[in-house]
């Protein structure tokens, strides 16, 4: 009975992606998130080198951090992320994620993040096989499967991502890892059910939340899955 109650009480972690927010009224969007059921605020830092877009840097994140009542889930979409780990650990950071494709000494970077008591994540691009994570999966707290090519919000979900969730879930179970699976890109109410059913723990959504007239309801709808 206890297990059943635990199971019924479980819901997905929802992390709205601030990239799709209104940067002219950022404080409004952050207040909306503060009073919503969102769990984390997802923050994509882009450098115009690892991805073909530049998003924002420290002054904007300082501001988000000062207003947010929710912890930050920061994804460094930048080359050589090890150069900036310290800068992003000083916030109310729940998860700090680096890209597999951008890191030469991934194991060292992961240990650096974890030694500060922050969850360590690794993101992989749509073309990257999840098997590339097999030697590090037991060290990770989170894997972010990019379900669009990183760089822009509002893109179409790549259907093969669901197969990657299944494959990754198998790997996590077989290695007895506690790593969470996050899916980022084109997530909405139409694909979230299948994603969660197959093992996704964290749903990142940008446009589905911020480009809607009912952002809080949309967060709730993802939470209820
Ligand atoms: C893409 C970003 C995503 C994006 C998600 O580079 O990593 O986080 O903001 O936004 P949607 O949900 O609109 O694809």
């Amino acid at each position: 009975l206890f297990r059943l109650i635990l199971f019924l009480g479980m819901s997905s972690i929802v992390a709205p992606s601030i990239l799709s927010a209104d940067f002219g009224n950022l404080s409004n969007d952050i207040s909306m998130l503060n009073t919503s059921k969102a769990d984390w605020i997802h923050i994509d830092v882009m450098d115009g080198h690892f991805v073909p877009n530049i998003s924002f840097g420290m002054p904007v994140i300082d501001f988000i951090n000062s207003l947010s009542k929710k912890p930050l889930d920061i994804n460094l979409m930048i080359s050589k992320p090890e150069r900036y780990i310290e800068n992003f650990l000083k916030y109310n950071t729940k998860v700090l994620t680096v890209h597999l494709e951008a890191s030469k000494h991934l194991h060292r970077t992961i240990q650096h993040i974890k030694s500060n008591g922050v969850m360590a994540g690794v993101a992989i691009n749509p073309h990257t096989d999840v098997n590339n994570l097999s030697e590090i999966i037991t060290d990770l707290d989170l894997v972010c499967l990019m379900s669009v090519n990183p760089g822009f919000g509002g893109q179409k979900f790549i259907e093969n991502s669901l197969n990657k969730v299944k494959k990754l879930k198998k790997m996590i179970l077989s290695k007895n890892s506690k790593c969470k699976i996050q899916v980022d890109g084109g997530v909405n109410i139409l694909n979230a059910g299948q994603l969660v059913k197959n093992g996704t723990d964290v749903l990142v959504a940008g446009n589905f939340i911020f480009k809607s007239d009912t952002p809080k309801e949309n967060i709730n709808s993802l939470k209820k899955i």
Side-chain angles (χ1 to χ4, degrees):
L1 181 68
F2 179 65
R3 273 199 189 166
L4 181 70
I5 291 169
L6 261 186
F7 177 74
L8 290 174
M10 263 165 49
S11 63
S12 314
I13 294 172
V14 175
S17 175
I18 207 77
L19 187 66
S20 302
D22 176 358
F23 280 79
N25 281 300
L26 200 47
S27 49
N28 284 359
D29 279 344
I30 296 169
S31 325
M32 181 278 288
L33 293 177
N34 282 343
T35 53
S36 77
K37 294 218 163 75
D39 297 279
W40 307 338
I41 300 189
H42 185 82
I43 297 191
D44 288 322
V45 181
M46 304 179 181
D47 65 351
H49 184 262
F50 178 66
V51 290
N53 196 9
I54 298 173
S55 57
F56 42 75
M58 284 67 167
V60 174
I61 304 175
D62 286 343
F63 178 71
I64 297 170
N65 187 63
S66 69
L67 289 188
S68 175
K69 295 198 171 98
K70 312 277 176 168
L72 308 186
D73 162 29
I74 303 177
N75 188 346
L76 298 183
M77 300 181 157
I78 65 175
S79 300
K80 300 187 188 161
E82 59 280 357
R83 294 172 297 161
Y84 292 103
I85 297 302
E86 286 295 325
N87 298 70
F88 294 101
L89 288 172
K90 69 169 197 248
Y91 299 118
N92 181 22
T93 311
K94 180 83 180 179
V95 193
L96 186 56
T97 298
V98 297
H99 260 265
L100 174 78
E101 301 87 355
S103 318
K104 253 198 185 141
H105 298 284
L106 191 59
H107 184 271
R108 180 185 289 143
T109 306
I110 293 307
Q111 301 310 328
H112 183 180
I113 297 171
K114 294 208 316 182
S115 68
N116 284 268
V118 169
M119 288 170 71
V122 168
I124 61 171
N125 279 335
H127 72 273
T128 301
D129 191 326
V130 299
N131 286 328
N132 287 300
L133 296 164
S134 67
E135 300 303 331
I136 198 148
I137 196 76
T138 51
D139 292 291
L140 300 182
D141 298 302
L142 180 142
V143 169
C144 174
L145 295 177
M146 289 306 307
S147 42
V148 297
N149 286 297
F152 306 92
Q155 301 182 78
K156 193 175 172 299
F157 179 81
I158 297 172
E159 290 299 330
N160 184 51
S161 311
L162 187 59
N163 295 326
K164 293 178 79 174
V165 171
K166 294 179 189 166
K167 212 166 156 184
L168 179 60
K169 186 70 189 176
K170 256 194 203 157
M171 181 195 290
I172 289 172
L173 291 174
S174 75
K175 301 251 184 183
N176 224 349
S177 158
K178 294 213 165 61
C179 181
K180 290 192 188 306
I181 301 178
Q182 176 175 68
V183 176
D184 178 9
V187 171
N188 58 41
I189 199 64
L190 300 176
N191 50 30
Q194 278 295 95
L195 290 171
V196 170
K197 191 173 156 205
N198 286 286
T200 304
D201 306 285
V202 187
L203 297 166
V204 174
N207 274 32
F208 177 65
I209 292 169
F210 291 103
K211 303 294 183 215
S212 140
D213 294 334
T214 56
K216 280 191 186 173
E217 285 80 349
N218 288 16
I219 292 171
N220 282 348
S221 68
L222 294 178
K223 281 296 297 176
K224 279 190 195 136
I225 287 170

